[in-house]
Amino acid sequence: MATPTPDQLGIFYTSKDLTTTGAVLPDRVIGSGATLTSLPIPTLNEATDFWNGAIGFFVGTGTTAALRGVTFHVRSWDNAGKRLALAQPLPIVPAAGDMVRLVQSGRTASNHEVLNMKVSGKQPEIEGVAGTNVTGVTIKRASALLGEGTLTLTYTYSTRTLAIRMGSGNNGPEVTLTGNAINLPIYNSDLSGYILVDVVYSSLATANRTDTFTLAAPKGNLIPNYEGYETNDGVGRTRYHLVVAKNKATVVQDAMNAFSIWTGKPPGSTTTTTATSSPSYTAPASIAVSNASTWPTRGFWIRNRAANAGAGDLRYVDYRSGNTLYIKAINWGWVNFTSGSIELKPGMTIGGQYSESAVIDQVILTSGTWTGGTAAGTLILKKFTGDYANARQIHYEGVQAATSAGASVKGYRGLPTVSWSSNQMVEPISDIDIGINQPSAGFYKNPENENIAPEGVTFGLYPSQEECLITDSLLGGDSVGIWIRQTILDGTQARQSIEGDLNFCYF
């Protein structure tokens, strides 16, 4: 029994078009007539809208060199015209014959691991990266745990060894080469970050050599950016994406014990609210804090750590000017319901007996049926004005559709809105929430599209190793699904700096 090394933790794309666990993501050939924002793919046969929200990336040695490894987010798919409309322009127009792989989150894991760091501008999983001095060695993956910066690869001829370091740090342990190798791991000094290399032993240099490479984090390879179109109707959206974590150890007893997951968050030190921060949250407002100099300047979430008995309370900052934070009004919330007799769906506008009004973002059905008039559960609401008291009628098109079961709550991401006061601890916080999906016969939840919640998955904010999500231990060969939820508020501006990192720990 041994603890698996970090390279034995695989994070895999999932896609609902796949029918078996570990299936290959097929190469899709682009036809003629592509544009910067539109890809014709004549061989795709899925129904219109099937690929809405999918993530894709360019592959293949015959694909235009400047596009290899470039990722994109699909805005919509039209089967009649056989075209994918993209959310953002590509760097150049693709040529007929270029190839892409598509990932529509859900159902089952593919055999393709999520793309990691770019190496000197290239995605090594798509096209291997070789230096000019250390011959016979090709980088095939660079772990995100290496971080951004300069990677130095050192080859020592006398001992036939390879080692790496980041920046001006120390080399990691030397790896001795004895012959050809595929996906050989080479670790940094703290044994967390690594590269995988292929080695052609006969091509190794006959003297000591070093090469340097620039590592950079790719954008949109796991979590789409906010492209702006999600809120051009003024309503906002929630997105869901699934990845699968797998212990690739071949011995069952080689377990990843106390397998823990948490998300990345923006840079910025914790600070405190000032005595002037008691804003109204029914309209855009401002919050003053003691020192936000290290915080982002636009489009980020903050958490008041003291609120809700330590669970926190969230606000979305449109922009920051010095130590003043300009926040959005809170018009999201939720209400539990019972006696549902008219099926309520995302996108519907609902009302009530008095001044209540909201757009449904999600319907979480926990029991009963609509046809039987016994449906019960929770409605996640946006553009929410007024409040539902307990046992209040919930109307759709002027007709009672359900009854509230308890008073409605305003707030974001499952955390109720409360009043803030001075000297409370606040900090920038992650854009995403996560939840666990244990597989059943190798399959995971399979919502209709990226804006529908996976049934039965409980989401929460897990922004640090101290506040992580702990799952059962992963035995060798076992997998677990990780659903990622993005909440995109009404009128949110397009941006690329989504804090979507997933971090893992085990022993």
Side-chain angles (χ1 to χ4, degrees):
M1 179 174 170
T3 301
T5 54
D7 57 292
Q8 290 178 293
L9 173 60
I11 310 299
F12 292 86
Y13 289 114
T14 65
S15 196
K16 61 178 58 181
D17 62 310
L18 303 177
T19 58
T20 58
T21 299
V24 174
L25 289 178
D27 293 339
R28 319 285 189 169
V29 180
I30 296 173
S32 59
T35 71
L36 292 178
T37 57
S38 175
L39 299 181
I41 305 185
T43 57
L44 282 185
N45 292 314
E46 286 76 18
T48 292
D49 294 335
F50 177 90
W51 293 105
N52 294 7
I55 295 170
F57 48 92
F58 285 82
V59 297
T61 55
T63 291
T64 302
L67 288 172
R68 295 173 200 158
V70 170
T71 57
F72 56 86
H73 183 215
V74 177
R75 181 170 182 172
S76 62
W77 159 247
D78 171 36
N79 184 49
K82 300 293 185 184
R83 278 187 176 268
L84 298 170
L86 308 187
Q88 292 183 333
L90 296 167
I92 61 173
V93 175
D98 285 352
M99 294 189 297
V100 298
R101 292 175 187 159
L102 295 173
V103 175
Q104 181 62 298
S105 289
R107 192 177 185 185
T108 191
S110 73
N111 74 333
H112 202 301
E113 294 191 48
V114 171
L115 302 177
N116 269 244
M117 303 296 280
K118 286 195 171 184
V119 178
S120 296
K122 294 183 178 181
Q123 197 69 58
E125 299 94 328
I126 305 303
E127 53 176 338
V129 179
T132 55
N133 299 317
V134 183
T135 57
V137 177
T138 302
I139 299 175
K140 302 303 291 291
R141 175 180 291 270
S143 165
L145 292 176
L146 290 170
E148 295 189 315
T150 300
L151 170 77
T152 299
L153 173 66
T154 298
Y155 169 70
T156 303
Y157 172 65
S158 61
T159 55
R160 304 296 197 277
T161 55
L162 292 173
I164 62 170
R165 71 172 186 269
M166 288 298 297
S168 57
N170 295 325
N171 278 349
E174 293 183 331
V175 175
T176 301
L177 307 177
T178 59
N180 294 343
I182 296 176
N183 287 333
L184 177 69
I186 304 174
Y187 281 89
N188 63 355
S189 57
D190 68 4
L191 305 182
S192 61
Y194 61 90
I195 62 173
L196 299 181
V197 300
D198 288 354
V199 176
V200 178
Y201 192 79
S202 61
S203 297
L204 292 173
T206 56
N208 296 342
R209 294 284 186 267
T210 62
D211 275 313
T212 59
F213 307 89
T214 301
L215 301 191
K219 299 290 187 181
N221 66 334
L222 177 60
I223 308 297
N225 303 315
Y226 294 169
E227 288 91 1
Y229 76 88
E230 303 94 340
T231 62
N232 60 11
D233 56 3
V235 178
R237 295 288 185 274
T238 306
R239 284 178 176 164
Y240 299 89
H241 289 270
L242 171 68
V243 295
V244 164
K246 181 179 180 180
N247 180 352
K248 297 190 289 185
T250 56
V251 177
V252 173
Q253 291 80 7
D254 290 351
M256 295 178 173
N257 295 306
F259 190 71
S260 306
I261 313 162
W262 65 97
T263 64
K265 59 181 181 179
S269 303
T270 300
T271 188
T272 57
T273 54
T274 70
T276 59
S277 289
S278 299
S280 166
Y281 299 127
T282 59
S286 63
I287 295 176
V289 297
S290 298
N291 183 6
S293 60
T294 57
W295 290 16
T297 56
R298 299 194 69 88
F300 61 99
W301 292 90
I302 59 172
R303 176 176 65 163
N304 180 333
R305 294 180 64 97
N308 290 316
D313 183 20
L314 303 180
R315 300 290 182 269
Y316 190 83
V317 180
D318 262 335
Y319 65 98
R320 173 179 70 85
S321 178
N323 293 325
T324 302
L325 315 175
Y326 294 88
I327 62 172
K328 285 185 176 293
I330 296 178
N331 60 2
W332 284 56
W334 61 90
V335 62
N336 295 329
F337 71 92
T338 188
S339 303
S341 57
I342 296 175
E343 184 174 3
L344 298 174
K345 299 179 179 181
M348 287 182 172
T349 298
I350 58 173
Q353 293 172 256
Y354 301 100
S355 59
E356 306 93 347
S357 178
V359 175
I360 298 174
D361 183 73
Q362 304 291 320
V363 180
I364 303 171
L365 191 65
T366 55
S367 65
T369 65
W370 300 104
T371 55
T374 58
T378 302
L379 302 176
I380 308 299
L381 305 173
K382 53 197 176 188
K383 295 189 75 69
F384 187 9
T385 61
D387 294 286
Y388 289 101
N390 183 42
R392 190 72 61 81
Q393 293 179 14
I394 299 173
H395 290 177
Y396 175 63
E397 295 186 342
V399 178
Q400 183 175 357
T403 302
S404 60
S408 58
V409 180
K410 295 288 178 62
Y412 296 133
R413 297 164 60 179
L415 295 172
T417 294
V418 296
S419 296
W420 292 18
S421 58
S422 60
N423 297 315
Q424 290 183 314
M425 302 296 289
V426 292
E427 62 183 340
I429 207 67
S430 173
D431 285 88
I432 64 174
D433 306 301
I434 56 176
I436 290 299
N437 181 183
Q438 297 291 347
S440 176
F443 290 93
Y444 298 86
K445 304 296 183 181
N446 193 32
E448 182 178 349
N449 57 56
E450 70 167 346
N451 301 126
I452 301 297
E455 180 183 355
V457 176
T458 300
F459 288 89
L461 180 63
Y462 300 96
S464 68
Q465 189 167 8
E466 293 72 30
E467 299 176 87
C468 64
L469 175 59
I470 301 177
T471 75
D472 293 333
S473 296
L474 283 183
L475 300 179
D478 279 356
S479 300
V480 65
I482 305 163
W483 280 97
I484 300 160
R485 180 178 70 183
Q486 294 176 276
T487 302
I488 307 172
L489 299 186
D490 316 3
T492 301
Q493 297 180 353
R495 67 189 185 94
Q496 291 189 331
S497 55
I498 304 303
E499 300 301 331
D501 292 344
L502 292 180
N503 303 285
F504 301 90
C505 180
Y506 57 89
F507 63 85

